[in-house]
Amino acid sequence: MSDQIDALLTENREFPPSSSFRKNANVSDPAIYSKAKSDRERFWEGWAEQLDWQTKWDRVLEWNPPHAKWFIGGKLNASYNCLDRHLDKRGDKVALIWEGEPGEVKRITYRDLHRDVSKFANGLKKLGVHSGDRVAIYMPLIPEAVVAMLACARIGAVHSVVFGGFSSEALRDRIQDAEAKVLITATSGYRRGNLVPLKKVADAAVADCPSITDVVVVMRRPAAEEADDTLRMQTGRDRWYHEVLHDADDNCPPEWVDSEHMLYTLYTSGTTGKPKGIVHTTGGYLTGCIATTKWVFDLKDEDVYWCTADIGWVTGHSYVVYGPLALGATVVIYEGAPDWPKQDRFWEIIERHKVSIFYTAPTAIRAFMKWGEQHPQAHDMSSLRLLGSVGEPINPEAWMWYHKNIGAERCPIVDTWWQTETGAILITPLPGIVPTKPGSATKAFPGIDAEILDERGNRVEVGGGYLAITSPWPSMLRGIWGDPDRFVKQYWSKWPGIYFTGDGAKRDEDGYFWLLGRVDDVINVAGHRIGTMEVESALVDHQSIAEAAVVGISHDIKGTGIAAFVIVKESQRAAAIKDPAKFEQELKQHVTDKIGAIARPEKILVTIDLPKTRSGKIMRRLLRDIAEGRALGDVTTLADPAVVASLKERYEEES
Ligand code: WT7
């Protein structure tokens, strides 16, 4: 980490907003920072007033640390705010421009989306889904996925979207934990020209999910093309999405819910055990989404907005669905891979649909850099006016490449820091106000109190420490589904009443934040969170593995990759060393099967011992050094117990 800090300290390029951008920006007066600070509640209330409420709140905030309630007494509906309220003025405006990976394009107006959501909401009601019931969504990025989310919101049901790249076991665990009643899925989805057999994976998961009464299936391809095996529908349990829609009435009045009514749960990895369901509620969450979408992305009615995230992640919830749709934007969604059929697919999409706001992740930017600037150069991307980055620290080289090759040195870049738990962006430049520095997420959004704290909770003015949020904010998580103790322990126990982010960061002389990565046992692989423990349990689940330790190692494209050290069971050793390459493949595949491809280790190192501290903690820093080739030099095996012992001694002396 200290190398990283040193590198960042030498970064002194600065990019102030251009006068033309500033002139038209949604917000350009720096005084809004102090104004928001002087009356935080009033600031957020002003944003809440930009939503449509059926009943207005009587109190803005009730804060009993760590429990917050926002806009108490207010009643609203998220789908009403994303759809109905636009119908008068924007009924014929395109809400979604969808591209399937094979090349289909669909344009769906606000009126069409409203009709489908209303119908599907009625369909869900017919299946017995009531307000507060959980509905799992396991889908590719197709318009029906957005319909499914908003239909849940319309009737007060809680959606739990599970990324379509997760394995059947991962899906099963999430459905079981949330006790979802209905699962919405698709026959398949496209990825790099291949069909991902979602329905099959879902079948395997649902076999162990007694809470599921019904499975609704979207036919991804024309009926004639669907292969027999994906069409295996279970009578009484499975039904087609298009039939549900066809049979349903298109009038579905929204269910007015309390501001604090749960909108969704979304599972994310933590330091211990299985992924936890982060709970978000309605009024405060939507308030955070619209405030940040309008100011950070400078969203205007005429923009074509594209956030490349999948709806399986929080970015897809807040910045594909709720933020932009609540503001009546035209949103681009694309189902597939950035390099399909060629490495210029994203630039082709930007040109074809005249995208003006583009929001993606550093891992994607690093891949684009590797593929070369000839790809963006082959396309007219003059429609772009703002770029965003999210998910992990963006290295200054990637930032500069993005600025030059995608932004034509004209578009401001907003590097946005936030988390599944925070619901909305908390640290970011406001593009019409804040000069940017490559690699820095700059400043807290107005109305957000972010600090660097040391171990004991003392404020660090300039320098490194833990990133903490010291006052409540509207879109903050309200808890962990089914685990109130863990909520308190995980986020609010390091310093009582203060939110611990799990990230290390540094603040420079200008008060800018520089994010340095996780300080806990969470690895950020290509912008996705994976717990080291999850991968370790997947590995020891393999019949040959006795013990496993997982660390993050630096990776050119992913930022961080996964390296696993494994101890093979005595009885299995002979078999394992017979064909080490095959054994390594087998273990990697096992992790993919247990969790999903995003957790697949880059490297597996077989060892006969793991270095542990006297108190039994695995010495991860030592393992990282070994995996990255530092501690052992050329020798990359821990086959000799004496080597482990001597390394351990050396490291214990150092620390
Ligand atoms: C973790 C949260 C928030 C949407 C996507 C990820 C890292 C996120 C940045 C950024 C540096 C970042 C942090 C954070 N992170 N954005 N702009 N700069 N780091 O959501 O899966 O909940 O992961 O992602 O480490 O804690 P998530």
Side-chain angles (χ1 to χ4, degrees):
M1 203 134 111
S2 70
D3 291 357
Q4 246 174 311
I5 297 182
D6 291 347
L8 291 173
L9 282 171
T10 61
E11 178 57 67
N12 48 22
R13 286 168 288 199
E14 208 180 279
F15 298 84
S18 69
S19 58
S20 61
F21 191 94
R22 187 195 298 259
K23 212 168 66 213
N24 297 311
N26 285 346
V27 56
S28 54
D29 179 6
I32 51 110
Y33 282 99
S34 48
K35 216 175 131 199
K37 206 174 182 62
S38 68
D39 194 346
R40 212 169 359 95
E41 290 185 25
R42 179 57 216 149
F43 172 78
W44 287 116
E45 183 173 41
W47 282 106
E49 283 162 0
Q50 297 194 31
L51 292 168
D52 281 18
W53 298 74
Q54 190 251 2
T55 309
K56 210 185 155 174
W57 56 91
D58 21 67
R59 273 174 65 212
V60 174
L61 171 66
E62 189 184 289
W63 178 225
N64 296 314
H67 304 286
K69 287 185 179 162
W70 284 86
F71 313 115
I72 301 139
K75 279 184 185 291
L76 77 171
N77 180 283
S79 101
Y80 182 90
N81 274 280
C82 290
L83 302 167
D84 307 51
R85 70 163 175 163
H86 305 312
L87 294 181
D88 276 351
K89 273 205 316 296
R90 303 190 183 93
D92 296 321
K93 180 175 175 177
V94 173
L96 295 176
I97 302 177
W98 172 70
E99 275 204 33
E101 197 189 67
E104 317 95 304
V105 174
K106 267 192 203 162
R107 288 189 173 72
I108 299 166
T109 63
Y110 272 94
R111 203 180 314 287
D112 295 341
L113 193 58
H114 174 262
R115 185 201 54 232
D116 284 2
V117 167
S118 301
K119 284 183 150 204
F120 194 55
N122 277 329
L124 288 176
K125 277 204 248 179
K126 240 194 253 171
L127 298 181
V129 178
H130 297 112
S131 181
D133 287 345
R134 275 81 56 212
V135 172
I137 297 176
Y138 183 66
M139 292 174 84
L141 191 44
I142 54 179
E144 292 84 348
V146 178
V147 172
M149 289 167 75
L150 293 176
C152 289
R154 194 161 191 87
I155 60 174
V158 170
H159 57 69
S160 171
V161 182
V162 180
F163 173 59
F166 276 124
S167 68
S168 68
E169 285 188 32
L171 174 61
R172 178 201 63 195
D173 290 348
R174 286 158 175 77
I175 293 175
Q176 285 181 350
D177 188 75
E179 296 177 279
K181 218 169 179 174
V182 168
L183 169 67
I184 306 164
T185 187
T187 48
S188 55
Y190 282 94
R191 189 78 192 170
R192 285 208 178 84
N194 297 314
L195 282 170
V196 181
L198 294 167
K199 172 66 162 65
K200 259 195 214 160
V201 178
D203 281 341
V206 172
D208 290 325
C209 297
S211 63
I212 295 283
T213 59
D214 295 88
V215 177
V216 182
V217 187
V218 175
M219 213 183 254
R220 171 63 187 87
R221 297 180 296 164
E225 285 173 36
E226 289 288 1
D228 302 342
D229 57 353
T230 54
L231 285 174
R232 209 169 288 145
M233 300 287 276
Q234 188 175 310
T235 323
R237 188 197 70 181
D238 298 354
R239 57 203 79 243
W240 291 110
Y241 172 89
H242 58 268
E243 291 178 3
V244 172
L245 217 61
H246 182 265
D247 298 340
D249 195 272
D250 62 6
N251 176 34
C252 179
E255 171 98 13
W256 302 112
V257 299
D258 282 336
S259 177
E260 284 297 331
H261 182 79
M262 189 170 165
L263 178 60
Y264 69 80
T265 177
L266 183 62
Y267 285 79
T268 188
S269 295
T271 46
T272 51
K274 288 189 172 168
K276 48 200 180 184
I278 301 301
V279 170
H280 282 294
T281 58
T282 309
Y285 173 76
L286 275 185
T287 301
C289 287
I290 61 159
T292 48
T293 306
K294 195 152 179 180
W295 275 7
V296 176
F297 301 114
D298 193 49
L299 183 72
K300 310 246 168 42
D301 216 11
E302 57 278 12
D303 275 309
V304 177
Y305 167 98
W306 184 22
C307 162
T308 66
D310 189 273
I311 48 137
W313 312 110
V314 73
T315 311
H317 284 60
S318 303
Y319 299 110
V320 174
V321 180
Y322 290 109
L325 294 181
L327 293 171
T330 294
V331 176
V332 173
I333 52 177
Y334 165 57
E335 175 189 33
D339 53 353
W340 188 266
K342 288 192 317 220
Q343 289 167 337
D344 66 346
R345 182 64 181 268
F346 274 21
W347 322 129
E348 192 180 273
I349 291 175
I350 289 174
E351 181 172 19
R352 182 158 38 239
H353 305 297
K354 302 200 168 39
V355 171
S356 54
I357 300 172
F358 178 66
Y359 187 32
T360 196
T363 185
I365 299 167
R366 288 189 296 264
F368 302 144
M369 283 171 79
K370 192 173 125 199
W371 298 339
E373 40 265 23
Q374 71 277 15
H375 298 296
Q377 272 161 13
H379 294 275
D380 174 7
M381 299 201 289
S382 55
S383 55
L384 286 174
R385 62 179 200 89
L386 182 135
L387 305 175
S389 171
V390 64
E392 50 178 314
I394 178 165
N395 44 312
E397 304 71 51
W399 196 103
M400 288 305 297
W401 189 91
Y402 198 30
H403 172 69
K404 186 160 175 268
N405 295 287
I406 310 304
E409 300 183 359
R410 156 177 52 82
C411 304
I413 296 179
V414 289
D415 172 8
T416 61
W417 178 92
W418 59 298
Q419 309 175 301
T420 307
E421 291 88 342
T422 69
I425 295 166
L426 298 193
I427 302 182
T428 176
L430 291 180
I433 300 178
V434 178
T436 53
K437 302 184 191 183
S440 170
T442 75
K443 304 212 251 182
F445 189 82
I448 298 295
D449 289 331
E451 299 283 359
I452 307 281
L453 300 182
D454 68 13
E455 194 66 42
R456 278 174 307 176
N458 298 316
R459 187 164 185 265
V460 178
E461 198 67 46
V462 175
Y466 301 108
L467 179 66
I469 313 297
T470 55
S471 327
W473 66 100
S475 63
M476 64 198 278
L477 77 163
R478 299 301 194 264
I480 293 176
W481 178 260
D483 202 344
D485 296 341
R486 195 163 164 202
F487 168 66
V488 177
K489 198 159 161 262
Q490 179 91 32
Y491 305 106
W492 305 97
S493 302
K494 200 170 180 72
W495 318 286
I498 292 177
Y499 175 80
F500 171 59
T501 62
D503 276 18
K506 144 185 187 300
R507 190 150 51 183
D508 70 15
E509 285 76 8
D510 298 328
Y512 278 37
F513 290 99
W514 299 79
L515 275 302
L516 301 170
R518 302 289 306 194
V519 294
D520 51 11
D521 292 334
V522 169
I523 311 181
N524 190 327
V525 182
H528 300 309
R529 257 158 84 169
I530 310 280
T532 49
M533 283 239 328
E534 279 173 78
V535 184
E536 286 162 6
S537 0
L539 284 164
V540 295
D541 173 81
H542 187 279
Q543 48 165 9
S544 303
I545 303 303
E547 209 179 331
V550 160
V551 294
I553 50 169
S554 60
H555 186 281
D556 285 356
I557 305 289
K558 297 181 182 177
T560 312
I562 295 173
F565 290 80
V566 294
I567 300 180
V568 180
K569 284 180 193 160
E570 195 98 42
S571 58
Q572 308 288 325
R573 273 188 199 156
I577 52 175
K578 222 170 98 198
D579 191 344
K582 190 168 151 237
F583 183 61
E584 188 176 338
Q585 282 311 314
E586 187 181 318
L587 291 178
K588 287 182 178 175
Q589 191 53 43
H590 188 72
V591 175
T592 306
D593 293 344
K594 296 291 289 184
I595 305 175
I598 53 169
R600 187 185 177 90
E602 300 299 321
K603 259 192 198 175
I604 300 219
L605 298 101
V606 174
T607 173
I608 50 162
D609 198 2
L610 284 170
K612 289 187 189 141
T613 61
R614 267 175 287 257
S615 62
K617 277 191 93 176
I618 291 171
M619 300 174 75
R620 291 184 195 277
R621 188 166 64 92
L622 169 54
L623 292 180
R624 208 169 297 129
D625 285 348
I626 294 168
E628 291 182 340
R630 281 186 299 273
L632 289 171
D634 290 339
V635 195
T636 52
T637 152
L638 290 180
D640 180 357
V643 173
V644 179
S646 79
L647 275 170
K648 196 176 137 192
E649 225 163 77
R650 214 172 76 203
Y651 268 72
E652 255 169 350
E653 272 164 26
E654 272 176 41
S655 48

